[in-house]
Amino acid sequence: MRVLTGIQPSGALHLGNYFGAIKQMLDLQEKSDLFIFIANYHALTSLKDGKALKANTLDAAINFLSLGIDPNKATFWAQSDVKEVLELYWILSGYTPMGLLERAHSYKDKVSKGIAANHSLFSYPVLMAADILLYDSQIVPVGKDQIQHVEMTRDIAIKFNNDFGDILKLPEFKVDEDVATVPGLDGTKMSKSYGNTIDIFCTEKELKKATSKIVTDSTPMEEPKDFLTCNVYALAKLFLNSDELSALQDRYTKGGEGYGHFKAYLSGLIWSYFEEARAKRAYYTEHTDEVMDILQTGAHKAKRIAEEKMKMIRDVVGIYR
Ligand code: ADP
Ligand code: TRP
C-alpha cells in the first residue's frame, strides 16, 4: 500500500505537530510503503527568503530524521530533487478547470487573511495533485484542511483518465479521527500562528518557561483540583500510560499540590520524552552531509518511479520524449 505525504518546511515543530501528525507517520512507516517528502516547492508560495527556505528545508530533514523517520523504512526526499513533478504539474494544469481552483478553501482563506493572491498560491492544489499522482499514491494522510486538495486531485485525475484511459491512480485521503487537538499554552489549539506553542527542540530553560505559562484556574494549593479541565493535565496525558495517568489524577484530586508542581512535572515529562530525538538532532546537525546523502538516496528511489510514470504520461499526451 503506497502512502504519500508532503511536509511543509516551516520552522520549529511543536507538540501539536508531533502528536497530531508526526507520530502517525512513524506508525505508517512500519506498516506501509511510506513516501514522505519535504514540500519545498510548495513553501515558495509563502516564503520569499531564499536563505531561510534552504535552512528550513535542511532543518525539516534533520527534525524528521531525529524524530524517527527511518530512511530504511520510508522513502524520504526533498520535493525539488525530483523535477518531474513540475512537468506533471504543467500537464495536469490542462485538466484543471478554473472553477475547481476558485472553490479551494485554503486559497480563499489565505487571500482573506491578506496574503497577496499570486498564481502559485492559486495553482498550489495542482502541484499537490502532481505530487500525489506521480507516484501512484493510494492513500494520502492529511489534516482536515487538506481533504479538499485530495478531492481535487481525484477530479483532475478523472478528467485526465477520461481522455487517456486508466493512467492515473485515484488516491484516497485518510484523516485520523482519533487524533485529538493538542491544546496550546492558553488552552486553544496549539499553533505557530497563535504563539501558544511548546516547541519540541527548545532548550530546557525555554521548556520550563513555556510550561510555566500554561493557563490554569486559581484553585489554591491545598484544595483538590479538576484534572479534566486542566490544560497541564491535557498535555501531560499525551506522555503517560494508564497507571501513570491514574497516579496523576490522584495527585489532582488529593489537593496539597499547586499548579506549579504539575507544570514542573510536565516539563520533566516532555524533556525526557524527546531525549533521544535531541541527541540524534545534535548528531545530524554536525553531520549535514549524511542528511544530504539520505535525501539523495530517497530522491533516487522516487525519481525512478517518477521517470517511469512520466514516460507513460508524455507518451499519451504527445510530448515526444
Ligand atoms: P501550525 O498550526 O502550527 O501552523 P501546521 O498547520 O503546520 O501547524 O500543522 C502541521 C501538521 O500538524 C498538520 O497535520 C496538523 O494537523 C498537525 N497539527 C498542528 N497543530 C496541531 C494541534 N494543536 N493538534 C493536533 N494536530 C496539530
Ligand atoms: N499541502 C500540504 C500541507 O500544507 C503539504 C503537501 C504538499 C502535501 N504536497 C502534498 C501533503 C502531497 C500530502 C500530499 O500540509
Side-chain angles (χ1 to χ4, degrees):
M1 178 73 68
R2 179 154 305 149
V3 179
L4 174 133
T5 188
I7 41 180
Q8 290 259 13
S10 45
L13 295 170
H14 54 70
L15 295 183
N17 299 139
Y18 185 77
F19 289 101
I22 300 169
K23 222 164 159 236
Q24 285 73 268
M25 293 176 198
L26 301 181
D27 199 32
L28 283 166
Q29 75 178 349
E30 300 299 329
K31 35 182 211 212
S32 66
D33 178 20
L34 179 66
F35 273 44
I36 174 168
F37 63 93
I38 302 169
N40 57 340
Y41 281 142
H42 278 99
L44 276 180
T45 57
S46 53
L47 188 57
K48 309 291 185 196
D49 173 343
K51 275 203 186 111
L53 180 54
K54 270 189 199 162
N56 285 358
T57 305
L58 178 63
D59 211 38
I62 291 176
N63 288 343
F64 277 78
L65 290 171
S66 307
L67 289 168
I69 288 296
D70 179 346
N72 295 313
K73 293 179 180 159
T75 305
F76 182 48
W77 76 101
Q79 187 182 30
S80 62
D81 278 335
V82 184
K83 308 284 183 206
E84 281 77 2
V85 75
L86 293 180
E87 186 182 357
L88 183 56
Y89 158 72
W90 178 247
I91 293 173
L92 295 178
S93 289
Y95 294 86
T96 311
M98 289 296 283
L100 187 71
L101 294 178
E102 277 159 2
R103 286 193 293 277
H105 306 303
S106 88
Y107 174 72
K108 288 193 279 190
D109 286 355
K110 283 175 185 151
V111 173
S112 74
K113 279 187 194 138
I115 299 175
N118 66 45
H119 181 257
S120 73
L121 205 59
F122 186 63
S123 62
Y124 181 112
V126 190
L127 181 56
M128 185 157 158
D131 288 326
I132 295 170
L133 299 171
L134 185 57
Y135 303 104
D136 283 338
S137 315
Q138 290 157 284
I139 304 284
V140 183
V142 286
K144 290 204 176 75
D145 59 320
Q146 298 289 321
I147 293 176
Q148 195 191 24
H149 289 157
V150 183
E151 288 171 342
M152 291 165 90
T153 301
R154 290 175 63 92
D155 291 344
I156 296 168
I158 289 170
K159 271 192 159 294
F160 185 94
N161 286 350
N162 273 341
D163 280 359
F164 301 113
D166 263 350
I167 303 276
L168 302 176
K169 222 181 207 97
L170 300 192
E172 309 275 347
F173 64 82
K174 176 177 172 283
V175 177
D176 214 327
E177 296 291 350
D178 299 341
V179 170
T181 300
V182 176
L185 302 180
D186 55 357
T188 67
K189 179 185 183 234
M190 186 178 287
S191 170
K192 273 191 295 296
S193 23
Y194 305 150
N196 64 356
T197 62
I198 298 178
D199 291 346
I200 297 173
F201 292 120
C202 61
T203 62
E204 193 168 14
K205 194 167 165 208
E206 287 162 343
L207 179 60
K208 283 186 180 151
K209 192 163 168 214
T211 46
S212 75
K213 283 198 211 147
I214 298 172
V215 175
T216 55
D217 61 28
S218 48
T219 315
M221 174 124 120
E222 322 71 57
E223 282 182 29
K225 296 177 182 61
D226 182 6
F227 56 83
L228 285 175
T229 56
C230 178
N231 294 325
V232 182
Y233 175 84
L235 287 166
K237 203 172 147 196
L238 297 166
F239 299 89
L240 299 176
N241 65 30
S242 57
D243 287 347
E244 292 163 333
L245 204 56
S246 30
L248 182 60
Q249 291 173 358
D250 288 348
R251 286 173 62 188
Y252 268 79
T253 44
K254 235 176 37 212
E257 284 188 272
Y259 286 114
H261 294 103
F262 297 127
K263 288 175 177 179
Y265 174 63
L266 172 66
S267 168
L269 287 176
I270 301 173
W271 187 251
S272 52
Y273 188 88
F274 291 110
E275 190 170 343
E276 193 188 332
R278 269 196 310 278
K280 282 195 189 166
R281 188 163 181 269
Y283 175 84
Y284 283 126
T285 304
E286 286 298 309
H287 297 85
T288 52
D289 46 341
E290 263 184 52
V291 177
M292 291 304 190
D293 281 351
I294 290 172
L295 290 180
Q296 278 305 305
T297 306
H300 276 304
K301 194 175 155 207
K303 203 173 166 66
R304 275 205 305 277
I305 296 166
E307 278 172 347
E308 278 306 303
K309 193 77 198 174
M310 281 316 295
K311 265 192 210 148
M312 209 190 297
I313 294 172
R314 281 186 207 115
D315 182 48
V316 295
V317 299
I319 295 298
Y320 79 110
R321 67 192 157 101

